[in-house]
Amino acid sequence: LRSLLAAGGELAVPRDASVLEGSAPWVVRLDHFLSPEEAKALESVFDSEDRSSPPWTRSSAVHARASQRTSQTRWCPQGSACGAHPATRRLEERVARLFNVSTDQLEHLQALQ
C-alpha cells in the first residue's frame, strides 16, 4: 500500500495501516480507526431494532462451508435509519476521505457479530 502511495496515489492512510499480504481483494487493517466511543455508538446503531434496516442474518457462504460458525451480518443501507445515523455517516465520511472517493462510491456499511 505504501509503495502505491509513493507512486503518486492520494490516499490519506494512517502510519499504522497495514495490508494483509496475499489478500485479494485487499484487506487493510487500520488500528485505532475508531475511538472507543465511536465503536460503542456503532454497536448501538447496529443492535437497534430498526425496522428499516435488514435484520441480522447468517451468511450463506459461511453456512455452506462451516456450519459450526455462528457469525451473522447486518447491512446498513443508505435510506435506512441506520444509514442516516450520525455515527454511521461520520464513519462513511472518514472512509471516503481515507480513500479519496465520495460516499456514493462506498459499499453499504456491514457489521459482523
Side-chain angles (χ1 to χ4, degrees):
L1 182 60
R2 295 210 191 288
S3 62
L4 291 174
L5 296 176
E10 296 188 27
L11 301 180
V13 178
R15 293 235 178 257
D16 59 355
S18 59
V19 176
L20 302 180
E21 295 299 322
S23 62
W26 286 359
V27 175
V28 179
R29 177 180 166 172
L30 302 170
D31 293 333
H32 313 293
F33 192 68
L34 297 173
S35 71
E37 295 80 15
E38 290 170 320
K40 191 75 171 166
L42 288 168
E43 182 179 0
S44 175
V45 169
F46 276 100
D47 283 343
S48 73
E49 294 298 323
D50 169 28
R51 300 283 183 230
S52 68
S53 297
W56 287 101
T57 56
R58 188 167 184 189
S59 168
S60 58
V62 168
H63 182 67
R65 291 185 185 153
S67 61
Q68 69 273 16
R69 287 194 175 173
T70 59
S71 62
Q72 293 183 327
T73 190
R74 187 169 190 187
W75 293 93
C76 185
Q78 293 176 351
S80 68
C82 175
H85 193 280
T88 58
R89 299 296 303 148
R90 281 191 302 272
L91 177 58
E92 286 178 333
E93 290 164 4
R94 187 177 304 159
V95 170
R97 279 193 313 272
L98 176 69
F99 291 102
N100 198 27
V101 298
S102 74
T103 56
D104 294 340
Q105 295 173 288
L106 299 176
E107 296 265 342
H108 298 304
L109 290 179
Q110 177 187 13
L112 181 68
Q113 72 174 10

